[in-house]
Amino acid sequence: MTPYFPFPSFLIEYRSMAINYRAELNDEQYAAVTTIDGPLLIIAGAGSGKTRVITFRIAYMLDNGIPQHSILALTFTNKAAREMEERIKELTGKKLQNMTISTFHAFGVKILRQDIERLGWRENFSIYDEVDRNQLIKDTGRELGFTADSLDVYKIGALFSGIKSGHRNWENANDQYRKLYEEYQAGLKLYNAVDFDDLIVLPIKLFREHPDVLEKYRQRYRYIMVDEFQDTSIQQYQFMHMLATGNVAVVGDDDQSIDSWRGANYENIRMFERDFPDLREIKLEQNYRSTETILEAANGVISHNTNRKEKALWSGNGSGRPIEIYLPENETAEADFVADTIRAVCMADRRKYDDFGVLVRANTLTRAIEEAFLDANIPYTVSGGTSFFQRKEINDIISYLRVIANHDDDINLLRIINTPRRGIGRRTIEQISEFSGMRKCSLWTSINAHLAAEDSPLSEKAKADLEEFVNLITEQRAQMLGGRGLSKKVKAMVDTIDYLSYLVQEYQKNEKAARYKLLNIDSLINSIDTWEKNPDNFDPGLFAYLNRITLLSRDDMDDDSGKGKVNLMTIHASKGLEFPVVFIIGAEDGIIPHARSLEEGDGSIEEERRLFYVAITRARDKLFLSSCSRRRKIQSVVECVPSPFLQEIPPHLVEYHEPAAEVEADKAIEILANMKKRFTI
């Protein structure tokens, strides 16, 4: 009989979670995981198992007797912090109640909640969001005598954030706002508030002015880890450096530093080497994500950057398929290529829609892609920006068209009844809504009933404003439903309602935003023009167009097929993600690299190249690149030149795309038979 030994439950749990680190990790990963004493720089190439190393490293610390409360793990997003914590819990079977896994800013809040009184704030301080911050800037500016024209709160807010993050200084900034900055800071303190940047700046100030506070945290957190180190700002680096007692590990990849616009400073890797001269450096170069072809292309591109750590990613996943470059005539042909290729690959390789990532340098490029997906009935989701058809200015114009087509569309009528503003107040809308509810009729019917009734409770001004609105919609309906030329009619309607003046008034403090929204409306009108001129379009009228774009409602594109949705996103939003098949569209000079980077010099060009590198390394199995010969911009068509980055891809890795050949009869029968098997229950 086997003897019985009553182990405590916590020991049974621990034994069941024993980890064989040697078996789970490659040599470089193992070295990174087991080096827990002294400073450590881990250069983690794309797809090299960075998160795995971090989680195993913390598990290894715990296995070697390091107390949970002594470990501080810092990252950049709440999502990343939660995922890290969940993976460590799953790996170790421990609850991690005493470990600090946090974003930089959340950790800053924790410090300030304990000791902010030493800096003159009261304990229960408020954290201002962007709206609160902008209002304080506006109020402070008025008190100092700034004119309305000089108080662009968005621009000033970005300047103040840059000053606090260390990304900018008063020597290279417009110091006419320096006094405003000082008074803004005084205002924050007066209202017992801090802004988002203060969550890093004030802990540093606290540590400098009160060494005993710093020492308290240095004694507690003997082991520090920082994820995505290349994305740290100068202030975040200083924050970490002050806390570190020696056992500090930073994990990052200078080739993936693409966020300088928000203060990220990839030079922090070199600062870390300078400040910790006895560090150990370990490079993770084995990529578990992509094929050798994709990695060789990425290496070929990024090798043209001069200010970087030398590394060469390699893969054991085989050579894979060539990279395909497509040179379409324009953005419409480009979008059709993407949609057609996705459908073809889905059928040939039995891919799901969520296996595809379509990456753009800026979300201004998504409109044609979205329309092609609509025509092809391909479900998609937009990340890193708003879907073209969900942007407010586009929704406004489409709402007008919907009400013109159907007067009884209450939802869209409410959206446009006072957009642009025409003096119809809240009380008026409440009155017509009450009547609509009582009589169970549409708002349009209610409005007309009030206009016709002699005893209407509405004021004469309200009735006049409503009558003007009714006449506008009635006249537009007569014009829209007669004859062809829908795009010209929509343009005339935009002029009639004076939407341009409305945007200028709404965004008078942000001229760039107003101009961007106007360009979006131009893009909408151009897309209607392209749609109605399509020779395969036999019904280019208003009703057909509205039926077409109805499918663009994301709520109406719920995925019940099990195939998911194509991922349409900016390259910035794709960082950290991967897809079996990736399209990089708009690979043209002036788009990537962006025209702005060409003006700003070599440093910006290198960041644009890093951005292109990040895009390439999102692909696992197959990569498509497209570069248009010409592209519509505003009201004109401009000639385009392929991105110089395309020339940096080794030519033996590339094939220029040819349209797919027609499927032979025998092959077509085989494909149909396979499809029948898949969908037959």
Side-chain angles (χ1 to χ4, degrees), residues 540-552:
L542 176 61
F543 294 109
Y545 179 74
L546 291 176
N547 287 339
R548 175 176 182 266
I549 64 172
T550 294
L551 295 175
L552 286 169

Side-chain angles (χ1 to χ4, degrees), residues 193-342:
V194 299
D195 62 23
F196 196 65
D197 296 300
D198 286 332
L199 301 180
I200 305 298
V201 173
L202 290 182
I204 293 174
K205 179 179 174 67
L206 182 65
F207 289 165
R208 285 176 176 161
E209 296 181 2
H210 301 277
D212 60 310
V213 175
L214 172 60
E215 189 59 27
K216 175 177 67 175
Y217 287 98
R218 285 169 61 88
Q219 287 300 319
R220 173 173 177 178
Y221 296 111
R222 310 293 294 181
Y223 294 84
I224 297 176
M225 286 194 68
V226 181
D227 187 19
E228 300 289 0
F229 185 64
Q230 77 282 346
D231 291 336
T232 51
S233 68
I234 294 172
Q235 297 284 7
Q236 286 166 334
Y237 177 82
Q238 291 175 353
F239 189 22
M240 178 277 297
H241 186 213
M242 295 177 83
L243 285 167
T245 56
N247 300 323
V248 54
V250 299
V251 187
D253 180 8
D254 53 339
D255 288 338
Q256 296 186 71
S257 180
I258 58 175
D259 292 326
S260 66
W261 55 276
R262 64 163 184 77
N265 181 31
Y266 74 98
E267 290 283 353
N268 284 351
I269 291 178
R270 299 193 186 281
M271 290 173 63
F272 185 75
E273 292 175 315
R274 182 198 67 200
D275 293 336
F276 297 90
D278 57 338
L279 66 80
R280 179 178 181 185
E281 178 180 311
I282 298 172
K283 292 181 180 179
L284 307 180
E285 296 175 301
Q286 182 176 358
N287 176 287
Y288 291 91
R289 175 188 301 158
S290 307
T291 64
E292 291 173 4
T293 295
I294 291 169
L295 290 184
E296 189 176 347
N299 289 335
V301 169
I302 202 63
S303 65
H304 288 77
N305 273 7
T306 56
N307 197 6
R308 62 183 290 265
K309 284 272 186 184
E310 286 297 328
K311 68 185 77 69
L313 297 184
W314 62 276
S315 170
N317 297 336
S319 59
R321 302 175 185 177
I323 294 168
E324 290 191 39
I325 296 179
Y326 183 52
L327 304 174
E329 177 69 17
N330 53 37
E331 67 269 22
T332 302
E334 177 181 60
D336 289 341
F337 159 71
V338 174
D340 292 344
T341 303
I342 287 175

Side-chain angles (χ1 to χ4, degrees), residues 178-195:
R178 191 164 189 167
K179 178 64 174 175
L180 176 58
Y181 175 79
E182 293 168 355
E183 291 301 316
Y184 164 76
Q185 286 297 104
L188 284 173
K189 199 166 188 178
L190 176 66
Y191 298 130
N192 197 39
V194 299
D195 62 23

Side-chain angles (χ1 to χ4, degrees), residues 45 58 97 118 224 265 279 282 298 357 365 374 380 399 412 497 527 556 559 574 601 606 667 681:
I58 291 176
Q97 292 173 316
R118 299 211 188 190
I224 297 176
N265 181 31
L279 66 80
I282 298 172
L365 300 175
L374 168 65
Y380 68 94
S399 290
N412 285 291
I497 64 176
S527 74
D556 293 338
D559 174 39
S574 74
E606 294 214 344
K667 183 65 175 176
I681 299 176

Side-chain angles (χ1 to χ4, degrees), residues 278-441:
D278 57 338
L279 66 80
R280 179 178 181 185
E281 178 180 311
I282 298 172
K283 292 181 180 179
L284 307 180
E285 296 175 301
Q286 182 176 358
N287 176 287
Y288 291 91
R289 175 188 301 158
S290 307
T291 64
E292 291 173 4
T293 295
I294 291 169
L295 290 184
E296 189 176 347
N299 289 335
V301 169
I302 202 63
S303 65
H304 288 77
N305 273 7
T306 56
N307 197 6
R308 62 183 290 265
K309 284 272 186 184
E310 286 297 328
K311 68 185 77 69
L313 297 184
W314 62 276
S315 170
N317 297 336
S319 59
R321 302 175 185 177
I323 294 168
E324 290 191 39
I325 296 179
Y326 183 52
L327 304 174
E329 177 69 17
N330 53 37
E331 67 269 22
T332 302
E334 177 181 60
D336 289 341
F337 159 71
V338 174
D340 292 344
T341 303
I342 287 175
R343 288 194 300 182
V345 173
C346 277
M347 180 176 289
D349 297 348
R350 297 188 178 184
R351 292 285 188 192
K352 296 180 179 180
Y353 285 129
D354 55 14
D355 286 337
F356 296 87
V358 181
L359 311 184
V360 296
R361 173 63 180 86
N363 59 28
T364 53
L365 300 175
T366 66
R367 193 265 305 161
I369 301 293
E370 292 187 60
E371 291 206 328
F373 286 167
L374 168 65
D375 289 340
N377 198 27
I378 295 174
Y380 68 94
T381 182
V382 177
S383 304
T386 305
S387 166
F388 179 81
F389 291 94
Q390 290 178 318
R391 294 168 191 167
K392 181 185 182 302
E393 62 277 12
I394 301 303
N395 262 328
D396 285 346
I397 303 306
I398 290 175
S399 290
Y400 268 97
L401 298 181
R402 292 192 187 283
V403 174
I404 289 167
N406 174 18
H407 293 340
D408 297 327
D409 186 336
D410 286 355
I411 292 175
N412 285 291
L413 186 144
L414 283 173
R415 183 183 185 97
I416 65 169
I417 193 169
N418 210 28
T419 303
R421 292 182 180 84
R422 47 178 61 90
I424 300 173
R426 179 181 298 177
R427 179 57 187 153
T428 301
I429 295 174
E430 287 175 351
Q431 288 175 308
I432 62 175
S433 296
E434 288 171 4
F435 183 90
S436 170
M438 288 189 329
R439 298 297 178 91
K440 298 189 181 333
C441 63

Side-chain angles (χ1 to χ4, degrees), residues 474-498:
T474 303
E475 291 167 5
Q476 287 296 322
R477 181 179 173 87
Q479 294 174 23
M480 291 282 182
L481 300 186
R484 300 176 68 88
L486 179 62
S487 62
K488 292 180 180 177
K489 294 172 184 176
V490 173
K491 186 178 188 309
M493 183 198 73
V494 171
D495 293 338
T496 298
I497 64 176
D498 201 12

